[in-house]
Amino acid sequence: MLSKFLFQKKFLLTLTALLVFALLFLVIIFRQITLNHDQKLKQLEQMMVQKAVSHFEDMLVTREWNARHGGVYVKRQEGLEPNPYLSDNRLQIDDNTTLIKINPAWMTRQISELSNQQANRYYKITSLLPLNPDNAPDDFEKEALLHLEKNPDQTYYYTTIDQTAATASSDTPPTFNFLGRLDMQDACMKCHAFQGYKTGDLRGGIRISLSSDDYREALLLETEQYSFNLYVTAFLTSMLGLLTFLVIYLLVRGQKKLSEFNRTLETEVKERTRELHALNEHLEEKVAAEVLKSKEKDELIIAQSRHAAMGEMIAMIAHQWRQPLSTITMDINNMLVDIELDDIDKARFREYAQSIITQTDHLSMTIDDFRNFFRRENTQEETLLSSVVNECFAIMGDALKSHDIAYNVTCDSEQRLNIYSRELLQVLINIVNNAKDALCDSDTANRRIDVLIVQEGDFHTISICDNGTGIDTEVLPRIFEPYFSTKENMTGTGLGLYMSKMIIEEHMHGKISVQSEPGRTCFSITL
């Protein structure tokens, strides 16, 4: 009955772990979808900005050409009048020919008016102190000019398109407004020096307004795809969350049954102990029977402790999987983006594929590490103590690193021993995990765990030391008692060190001890 119950619980724990992994994977996908959506929205906005910048730079080149020639003269014609704000705005050649001077500002205005009539865009030259009243700024232009005046290192200013308005059903999409700065140059001083300007001051700017038709179409497509991805991910997450809740509910019920079984077992052990003292006949047979039951109890406690450690192992697995899964998701998204942009590069795809293979191998190695930890061991095997210690830190390494805990292993023994390596690994993980918890609860600046393996004759000693706050002298004598825990948050079962002592001293015929003082705690295992 007990073995059947333990089998069912192991199955539920395994299923819970798989569901948790699936939920973590969906959360990562959900976050990646949101990041990709935000990135695409920024790219769409930058598309409008680059388009406006291109028009602005074309206008600057035209003005530069005009300024290098000190202005140009063109023949007066219908619709082209002299700039009334220029002192030398015309040149009379003869009675029938009058030339009009076109300076950079006047050329900019003429080009703007022509563009506004022929293209789906709007230009305007403006200033906070315009000579021409027609160049007075509106609300957006005034806001932009004041911003550029306060930020002389910025070249242009624009307003973000309202995405809600852009995706509305209106026939007229919102306009994208942009303004690039115009600074005073030496050539400008002839006309504007009397206004108090100096070379380098902000004279004004060129306003460019563009229709957001292309932006609107791309935004609608991206919004539809984003909504669809969110709906699918939310549905899957809900289903897995519900299933996880049901499995956890079954685990809680199973844990209650196990607690009841433990209480019943303790009561029976006490009763059998009293009976043992009262026995006068067949003492040897009775003792053998009780020893067998006691061994079964010890095995149950070990199993209980290993199940209690499984929750911590699941957290370690999730921690070690998070970075490889994130890297794989990023590589796949990069490949999808290249496909959508029709920018397929075999070399780059080969790099993405190799990265995915590398991360998958890392995930596989993680599975093997934790699967070996839970493998049952019935026989001793010849192994190096350093190999078992290194395997312990292969499992615990990421958890220690996430808490800024450094570790160091020093070994001066290369002799192979016949030991139960899985049981020794369980003891090492329990001690290292306790050291990690103690360091996390302390305010030690440079947290570290040091492991030293030494050989003295036929004896081999593994010392695990941390630089935490140490163990209180009042509780130190009880540290190996069953169901005794120093963890104030009640997360400890009180079985870890008791189980460790039983494994080392009874199963492996060794010795385990602890020495502690403020700033240092050392556990020693002698085999």
Side-chain angles (χ1 to χ4, degrees), residues 1 23 25 53 111 113 134 147 155 158 166 229 253 268 270 279 326 339 350 356 373 388 390 405-406 418 421-422 488:
M1 178 179 178
L23 283 173
F25 185 69
V53 169
I111 294 175
E113 292 176 353
D134 293 338
H147 176 83
T155 306
Y158 64 90
N229 291 338
R253 290 187 58 188
E268 291 181 357
K270 291 179 181 179
L279 289 177
S326 177
I339 293 174
R350 189 176 294 107
I356 293 173
F373 173 75
V388 183
N390 291 334
I405 299 175
N418 285 317
S421 60
R422 297 299 95 194
E488 298 179 355

Side-chain angles (χ1 to χ4, degrees), residues 143-157 181 183 202:
E143 175 186 339
L145 290 170
L146 290 174
H147 176 83
L148 294 177
E149 190 174 52
K150 294 179 180 179
N151 300 274
D153 58 324
Q154 296 184 13
T155 306
Y156 52 80
Y157 178 87
R181 70 182 298 136
D183 291 331
L202 176 68

Side-chain angles (χ1 to χ4, degrees), residues 53-107:
V53 169
S54 178
H55 288 297
F56 176 68
E57 290 178 348
D58 289 343
M59 189 69 74
L60 290 182
V61 171
T62 303
R63 291 170 54 88
E64 178 68 17
W65 178 86
N66 187 300
R68 288 185 178 184
H69 293 82
V72 296
Y73 285 91
V74 300
K75 187 175 181 179
R76 184 174 184 178
Q77 52 187 293
E78 183 178 356
L80 181 61
E81 296 297 330
N83 185 348
Y85 303 98
L86 290 176
S87 58
D88 53 346
N89 60 1
R90 70 187 70 196
L91 180 64
Q92 193 71 33
I93 302 301
D94 52 40
D95 294 340
N96 298 323
T97 304
T98 300
L99 299 181
I100 298 174
K101 184 176 183 179
I102 307 294
N103 69 336
W106 193 241
M107 176 180 284

Side-chain angles (χ1 to χ4, degrees), residues 343-395:
D343 183 22
I344 299 176
D345 185 334
K346 290 183 178 180
R348 189 163 60 246
F349 266 49
R350 189 176 294 107
E351 291 178 1
Y352 292 151
Q354 185 59 47
S355 175
I356 293 173
I357 291 172
T358 301
Q359 298 303 324
T360 305
D361 289 341
H362 179 68
L363 295 178
S364 178
M365 291 175 61
T366 302
I367 293 173
D368 291 339
D369 288 340
F370 286 91
R371 181 176 60 189
N372 290 334
F373 173 75
F374 288 105
R375 175 168 58 83
R376 295 183 63 87
E377 188 175 48
N378 296 320
T379 60
Q380 294 182 338
E381 61 180 2
E382 190 175 77
T383 185
L384 291 171
L385 294 182
S386 59
S387 298
V388 183
V389 173
N390 291 334
E391 188 174 357
C392 168
F393 285 108
I395 294 174

